[in-house]
Amino acid sequence: MITSENISLYYNNTEILSDLSLHINAHESLAIIGPSGCGKTSLLHIFAGLIKPTSGSIFVNHTPLLKPRRTTALISQHYSLLPWKTVFENICLPLHIQKVKRSAFDARTKATLTMLGLNHVKSKYPTELSGGEQQRVAIARALVQTPDLLLFDEAFSSLDAITRDRLQSELKHLHQSTKTTMIFVTHDIEEALYLGERILVMSTQPGTVFKTFVNPSYHNPDAKMSQGFHQLSNQLRQTLNEVMHDAN
């Protein structure tokens, strides 16, 4: 679905990304990890069409990416919900902007509320919700647009461990049921292993592809308890140590 060819990115004469080439399959769930400052978020913003690379090319569905796509959704750790609107109104906001017919956006919003288990809070305001509920609303607001590409930037990093585990499970179920292409940037090795069919490890700045891993545990419902999960976790830790060693 996404092909990036020799992407480089400079900001204020500093090279953020260097000669990065990557192919991401349609319906794939890809996790990206790497040291702080290696350009993970910048790469995600390039995939979203929010930043143009200084050099190189990027294609989505074989079409050059020159601006943001309506069917790409970006979700960050900052929920960005409008505090004066209810959960229902926050979720259907993108449909208002797209001028979708009222009958259609009502049906889509109700279906998305049900999918994310938010019916019981649909009339509440963001300040009345827990952090996990607010993040679920942010995900619902993205899904109501029926995206074919979902980008997550450290989306669960500010949540407590129990809420994070629950949302990880919900997101994995969502991917397996909708087959939406997902890219998940995280600092957490276990999160990358749980959510990524493939894991990309980036180098230190300037960021590029250091190594990729295929994750055989992804489709295992008890992945976190499997021996393969822990073996690959150790390999990823070793690889990240190599990245830092090479930087020094």
Side-chain angles (χ1 to χ4, degrees), residues 15-207:
E15 190 175 21
I16 308 300
L17 298 170
S18 176
D19 197 31
L20 190 150
S21 297
L22 181 65
H23 178 79
I24 301 168
N25 296 317
H27 316 306
E28 182 177 14
S29 180
L30 175 74
I32 301 177
I33 61 175
S36 295
C38 70
K40 300 186 294 297
T41 294
S42 296
L43 180 60
L44 211 61
H45 287 177
I46 288 173
F47 290 156
L50 299 173
I51 296 176
K52 291 184 179 180
T54 306
S55 61
S57 304
I58 179 164
F59 300 85
V60 179
N61 290 333
H62 308 290
T63 301
L65 181 64
L66 303 176
K67 61 181 181 179
R69 302 167 67 244
R70 179 171 288 187
T71 53
T72 295
L74 174 63
I75 302 166
S76 70
Q77 60 181 298
H78 308 294
Y79 317 125
S80 302
L81 304 178
L82 301 180
W84 59 89
K85 288 186 177 292
T86 65
V87 166
F88 187 96
E89 291 167 338
N90 267 285
I91 292 173
C92 67
L93 183 62
L95 304 182
H96 274 297
I97 294 170
Q98 295 171 14
K99 298 183 178 178
V100 175
K101 290 183 179 180
R102 179 63 189 245
S103 57
F105 83 59
D106 268 359
R108 281 163 63 177
T109 303
K110 289 174 182 177
T112 307
L113 280 163
T114 300
M115 183 189 302
L116 273 296
L118 291 167
N119 276 311
H120 66 295
V121 296
K122 65 181 180 181
S123 299
K124 292 187 175 183
Y125 292 88
T127 53
E128 301 177 272
L129 306 179
S130 67
E133 287 170 333
Q134 290 185 60
Q135 189 59 284
R136 196 179 285 115
V137 173
I139 294 171
R141 185 180 53 192
L143 291 178
V144 79
Q145 305 171 66
T146 59
D148 58 9
L149 177 60
L150 273 173
L151 308 174
F152 293 85
D153 186 14
E154 300 280 358
F156 302 152
S157 62
S158 62
L159 302 174
D160 64 87
I162 294 174
T163 302
R164 186 167 63 245
D165 284 351
R166 185 171 70 247
L167 285 178
Q168 287 172 1
S169 297
E170 291 175 2
L171 184 60
K172 189 168 187 175
H173 174 74
L174 179 71
H175 174 250
Q176 293 173 343
S177 60
T178 65
K179 299 300 181 183
T180 303
T181 305
M182 292 186 182
I183 304 175
F184 205 100
V185 162
T186 179
H187 280 98
D188 189 301
I189 290 175
E190 279 67 35
E191 186 167 72
L193 274 169
Y194 189 68
L195 293 174
E197 292 176 280
R198 198 158 51 108
I199 298 106
L200 164 65
V201 181
M202 290 183 64
S203 67
T204 53
Q205 192 180 100

